[in-house]
Amino acid sequence: MPIIANIANDKKHNEMEIKLRPWRDEDIEHLINYPNNKKIADNMRDRFPHPYTHEVGLTFIKESQQENPTKIFAIEVNSIPIGSIGIFPGTDVYKKSAEIGYWIGEEFWGKGIATKVVKEIVNYGFATWNINRIYAKTFGPNTASQCVLLKAEFNFESKAEKAVFKNNQLLDELIFTVLK
């Protein structure tokens, strides 16, 4: 599959070429390096393991390559995969909605990359599937991701109090949405 986004350089992204593209087998070393970070795992669902092992990475790449159309992409900066973003269409009565999820290597936080790629995955989602709503869920303490979603023109929709049990504590879950 071709690259779905080649985000041009601008003042904020000095000399950064940002792309979304399918995961490749040769990405494994970067894949196990960047997400093997407790700060990232703490903001992800439990199926995102810590430590993030070579075996987990290989399985992830193989599974992402089997999707058609592609649902999970590498976030590439200057030819290096530094994160991942995915879109997951719903089924049954949720077939007109899709959820997104993403992570970026810590050294790339605060550079506006996440906002750019969230906007691109939204465009891709609406162009690829017959959906009218895209949403993302964050844990209450994850204010950085909440800011990303608001900057990407998502609206805060709701808060489910103490809906998530992560790291032996109950956390609020916030839902952000964008409509077609």
Side-chain angles (χ1 to χ4, degrees):
M1 176 181 174
I3 294 165
I4 68 159
N6 188 358
I7 302 165
N9 297 340
D10 56 30
K11 289 179 186 176
K12 187 171 185 174
H13 299 96
N14 268 348
E15 300 179 33
M16 280 197 297
E17 182 181 29
I18 305 168
K19 296 179 182 179
L20 295 183
R21 59 150 175 90
W23 282 98
R24 300 187 289 241
D25 293 344
E26 60 268 22
D27 295 330
I28 187 62
E29 294 309 316
H30 296 291
L31 178 59
I32 61 175
N33 177 41
Y34 289 114
N36 196 21
N37 180 329
K38 186 157 174 28
K39 292 179 187 175
I40 293 172
D42 283 349
N43 289 302
M44 304 290 286
R45 293 179 183 165
D46 285 345
R47 68 177 175 240
F48 187 97
H50 181 75
Y52 200 95
T53 65
H54 192 269
E55 182 179 325
V56 167
L58 287 175
T59 299
F60 172 80
I61 289 172
K62 292 297 179 207
E63 288 175 358
S64 72
Q65 291 171 339
Q66 294 173 4
E67 298 289 344
N68 187 17
T70 302
K71 294 178 185 166
I72 302 171
F73 296 90
I75 301 168
E76 183 180 277
V77 173
N78 298 335
S79 302
I80 304 293
I82 57 93
S84 189
I85 190 165
I87 183 162
F88 310 96
T91 59
D92 196 14
V93 298
Y94 301 105
K95 63 184 163 262
K96 295 293 185 176
S97 293
E99 182 176 12
I100 65 166
Y102 53 91
W103 62 265
I104 290 181
E106 184 176 7
E107 68 188 77
F108 297 93
W109 293 357
K111 299 182 184 305
I113 297 166
T115 301
K116 291 270 191 185
V117 298
V118 165
K119 287 180 179 181
E120 289 303 321
I121 203 76
V122 166
N123 292 338
Y124 172 76
F126 285 138
T128 304
W129 290 279
N130 184 18
I131 55 176
N132 72 325
R133 177 178 177 268
I134 296 175
Y135 66 97
K137 297 177 178 182
T138 71
F139 303 153
N142 190 355
T143 56
S145 192
Q146 293 158 24
C147 287
V148 163
L149 294 166
L150 292 171
K151 287 178 186 177
E153 301 177 10
F154 278 64
N155 295 304
F156 172 71
E157 183 175 87
S158 64
K159 176 174 85 170
E161 292 187 32
K162 300 186 189 298
V164 173
F165 188 70
K166 179 74 177 179
N167 296 331
N168 293 315
Q169 59 182 328
L170 287 168
L171 303 173
D172 295 342
E173 178 179 67
L174 283 64
I175 301 173
F176 295 82
T177 60
V178 63
L179 299 177
K180 191 169 188 176

